[in-house]
Amino acid sequence: MTNQDIRCNQDFPKIGIRPTIDGRRKGVRESLEDVTMSLAKAVANFLSNELRYPNGQAVECVIADTCIGGVAEAASAADKFAKAGVGVSITVTPCWCYGSETMDMDASLPKAIWGFNGTERPGAVYLAAVLSAHAQKGLPAFGIYGHDVQDMNDPSIPQDVQEKLLRFAKAGMAAALMKGKSYLSIGSVSMGIAGSMIDPDFFQEYLGMRNEYVDMSELTRRIEEEIYDPEEFKLAMAWVKENCKEGSDNNAESLQTSREQKDKDWETVVKMTQIVRDLMVGNPRLGELGFGEEAMGHNAIVSGFQGQRQWTDHFPNGDFLEAMLNSSFDWNGIRAPYQVATENDSLNGVTMLFGNLLTNTAQIFADVRTYWSPDAVKRVTGHELSGVAEHGLLHLINSGSATLDGTGEQMQDGQPVMKPFWEITPEDADNCLKAVSWRPAAVEYFRGGGFSSCFLTRGGMPVTMSRLNLVKGLGPVLQIAEGYTVELPKDVHDTLDQRTDSTWPTTWFAPVLTGKGAFKDVYSVMDNWGANMVPSVTDTSAPI
């Protein structure tokens, strides 16, 4: 993290570990104290070693002071957790316990229970009993039960239990990290897109988040009144000139802007990037410059920029600000990505947030533009698809808001990946920048000019395509499609890509098929998709 990123200074929620025990004295509890507390310590060590906060630091675990054999000790643990800032709880036990007396009753905490699979003092009996108590009381809990029987004195955590602990902890921490944060809507509804019709009830009731709103004229005000860090602006412009190569202008010659205007557009989009970041998380530097209110920010963990069309018909587009903030590096160095949804599509912004919090990687924001069948590809290009693409492809492409991490130029063991920022090397970042050209915006879409990032994602990355939709009468529905990025021969890519706007970034995606339902074939994936926009998420960590 750089000194420019104030997110590194925030307190993050901790994981609370609750060792529960059979409370009967005179031999029963005493025989179980050591093994029960050892389980708790093993889980805490495992999670702290495996999980990172968004700033790269190891996740912190808090263990109850004593084993929990009854309601008094349960209350003591709850008090400790509240004071320590615990956001997720995990109960562990090797034995039978008194369910309703030892259970976690905090309705605000995501919770899981690992009931040790052993025969001496079966924790599975407690697991089943206390899960039913949770269900009866309307307090959801995630049950964890190992596949194979363990010996009571075995201190290890089986592989299948490790996977379940990680899955729960990642999801629980994601929920805890969102809680109390904001979605910042910059502007309003873009081009009638339903996802940019912000639903505050969804954010409040499902995510525990609040909504903040700023008109796009706030960017104009801050630009004109110079409410941004001028020293950072100089640094940014020098960095942009050195690292952001400008591509060819595809606009008709009569519509192309002058060199002078393009240079002014670069200055504007850099200022827009600074301003949107400051709107999201604040910037103490603004306070030093006399802008105390603006220095505070909106406590936003994710934002959206309407752009089209009230902004982009007159001002440079938001592609640069979105692409750079969504990336894991900029003029301040390598840092955690921000989450900014193009066209203020809040539902896609939330999906990006889910992916980022679960994997700690940047997110590709794109349209699901076209399904290309093998026959259509062969008819148009003469090329026969093979490998993971043999059943067809989805063309993921948007106007330039996709993270530069999505180039696939970050390498791990010789393979393209998208890394958590703390694993990204200067060489990785440099290679991503070199793979991107910034093309003058297509005037037919963006009358105010600007620049769109243009790149082609490397093939061979395992990625997850996902999208959140709201269905009336049902609620939020999350679609997920696992698959791989695909690399086509250059002439084939060029032929297909030039049928749409070739100044935009492209990811060729081949979903994993099951042969039935929505995953019967690639066409069915496209045909069943709920909205046009998706982020593709690369997961290089443990399964989620």
Side-chain angles (χ1 to χ4, degrees):
M1 285 284 182
T2 70
N3 292 331
Q4 296 285 342
D5 195 340
I6 64 173
R7 294 175 297 172
C8 61
N9 297 321
Q10 63 182 290
D11 292 327
F12 293 106
K14 302 174 179 64
I15 299 177
I17 310 296
R18 308 174 71 256
T20 57
I21 199 167
D22 190 326
R24 291 173 286 191
R25 305 280 180 167
K26 298 185 178 180
V28 177
R29 175 167 178 154
E30 291 83 352
S31 69
L32 296 165
E33 289 277 6
D34 289 344
V35 67
T36 304
M37 188 57 76
S38 293
L39 276 182
K41 291 177 179 178
V43 170
N45 289 335
F46 169 69
L47 294 177
S48 291
N49 288 333
E50 293 292 327
L51 299 179
R52 302 283 192 102
Y53 288 123
N55 68 351
Q57 295 175 348
V59 165
E60 186 176 345
C61 294
V62 177
I63 303 176
D65 290 334
T66 67
C67 291
I68 301 169
V71 67
E73 289 165 321
S76 178
D79 183 60
K80 179 178 182 178
F81 288 0
K83 292 175 179 175
V86 165
V88 176
S89 83
I90 299 178
T91 297
V92 301
T93 187
C95 60
W96 163 255
C97 314
Y98 292 2
S100 62
E101 296 182 18
T102 60
M103 65 189 288
D104 178 0
M105 292 286 288
D106 190 336
S108 67
L109 295 184
K111 49 186 66 66
I113 304 155
W114 175 24
F116 188 86
N117 185 359
T119 57
E120 295 92 341
R121 301 264 187 187
V125 177
Y126 170 72
L127 176 64
V130 79
L131 285 176
S132 69
H134 277 281
Q136 185 171 324
K137 293 177 180 295
L139 299 170
F142 183 71
I144 298 173
Y145 182 55
H147 185 271
D148 296 318
V149 172
Q150 289 182 258
D151 298 331
M152 178 68 81
N153 60 356
D154 182 358
S156 67
I157 304 176
Q159 185 63 40
D160 64 318
V161 173
Q162 290 183 20
E163 182 176 316
K164 292 174 182 178
L165 284 169
L166 283 177
R167 285 182 173 181
F168 166 76
K170 286 183 177 183
M173 287 299 290
L177 286 162
M178 286 186 283
K179 187 177 178 181
K181 297 294 194 303
S182 304
Y183 176 90
L184 175 60
S185 174
I186 305 172
S188 184
V189 179
S190 174
M191 301 186 296
I193 295 172
S196 59
M197 299 174 184
I198 312 300
D199 186 338
D201 291 339
F202 162 68
F203 279 93
Q204 177 183 328
E205 295 172 10
Y206 283 90
L207 307 180
M209 293 175 60
R210 66 194 302 157
N211 296 90
E212 290 283 286
Y213 307 88
V214 175
D215 191 88
M216 289 184 293
S217 63
E218 177 64 4
L219 272 72
T220 308
R221 183 181 78 91
R222 294 198 184 198
I223 290 172
E224 292 181 355
E225 298 183 20
E226 299 185 354
I227 306 176
Y228 53 85
D229 183 349
E231 295 304 315
E232 184 187 3
F233 173 68
K234 292 177 184 177
L235 171 70
M237 285 304 302
W239 183 88
V240 165
K241 288 178 180 178
E242 181 178 353
N243 293 283
C244 298
K245 60 185 179 185
E246 189 176 309
S248 57
D249 192 336
N250 275 20
N251 292 296
E253 189 171 347
S254 61
L255 298 176
Q256 293 181 13
T257 58
S258 66
R259 180 69 260 164
E260 181 182 11
Q261 184 59 51
K262 286 185 172 69
D263 290 341
K264 288 181 180 178
D265 285 353
W266 273 116
E267 292 182 357
T268 300
V269 298
V270 168
K271 292 173 184 176
M272 289 166 63
T273 307
Q274 289 182 252
I275 290 167
V276 169
R277 180 205 60 202
D278 293 349
L279 282 167
M280 289 180 67
V281 302
N283 187 347
R285 178 70 177 131
L286 297 183
E288 297 171 5
L289 295 170
F291 304 108
E293 182 180 358
E294 291 85 350
M296 300 297 291
H298 291 267
N299 195 36
I301 195 171
V302 58
S303 69
F305 180 66
Q306 177 196 330
Q308 298 191 71
R309 289 180 43 217
Q310 285 74 21
W311 180 271
T312 57
D313 276 4
H314 185 63
F315 296 110
N317 65 13
D319 288 357
F320 181 82
L321 85 84
E322 293 160 359
M324 289 312 307
L325 291 179
N326 284 329
S327 298
S328 300
F329 45 84
D330 60 16
W331 45 85
N332 289 313
I334 296 170
R335 43 95 177 132
Y338 297 82
Q339 307 305 312
V340 184
T342 196
E343 295 159 359
N344 199 25
D345 186 341
S346 65
L347 298 182
N348 213 35
V350 168
T351 317
M352 294 170 69
L353 180 61
F354 287 172
N356 173 253
L357 293 178
L358 288 170
T359 69
N360 288 312
T361 59
Q363 309 295 296
I364 301 176
F365 191 121
D367 275 347
V368 187
R369 181 58 61 98
T370 311
Y371 159 66
W372 279 99
S373 69
D375 288 343
V377 172
K378 190 169 185 178
R379 177 182 64 81
V380 172
T381 69
H383 177 71
E384 191 161 333
L385 295 174
S386 60
V388 296
E390 65 176 325
H391 300 296
L393 291 165
L394 298 182
H395 192 181
L396 308 184
I397 182 172
N398 204 314
S399 67
S401 61
T403 173
L404 306 194
D405 301 51
T407 57
E409 294 295 332
Q410 300 166 17
M411 306 301 290
Q412 190 172 70
D413 299 325
Q415 297 298 314
V417 295
M418 291 165 64
K419 300 177 181 178
F421 81 90
W422 55 84
E423 295 181 5
I424 296 174
T425 66
E427 182 182 10
D428 287 330
D430 188 54
N431 288 338
C432 290
L433 289 163
K434 288 177 179 177
V436 178
S437 65
W438 295 91
R439 307 288 293 277
V443 175
E444 64 176 317
Y445 295 121
F446 305 115
R447 298 173 188 173
F451 300 93
S452 296
S453 64
C454 181
F455 64 79
L456 174 62
T457 300
R458 277 181 176 264
M461 288 199 296
V463 296
T464 301
M465 190 173 83
S466 52
R467 169 73 197 197
L468 183 73
N469 300 289
L470 296 181
V471 179
K472 187 174 178 61
L474 181 62
V477 176
L478 183 64
Q479 292 181 287
I480 300 172
E482 294 181 326
Y484 295 88
T485 62
V486 174
E487 205 159 320
L488 296 173
K490 185 179 185 306
D491 61 326
V492 176
H493 162 75
D494 289 344
T495 300
L496 301 181
D497 196 49
Q498 287 170 10
R499 293 173 71 100
T500 182
D501 195 310
S502 60
T503 67
W504 296 351
T506 278
T507 302
W508 295 106
F509 176 76
V512 173
L513 304 175
T514 64
K516 58 184 179 182
F519 291 90
K520 177 183 177 182
D521 48 39
V522 181
Y523 171 79
S524 297
V525 176
M526 177 76 171
D527 195 38
N528 282 277
W529 206 252
N532 62 305
M533 294 182 182
V534 298
S536 293
V537 183
T538 300
D539 183 5
T540 59
S541 56
I544 59 172

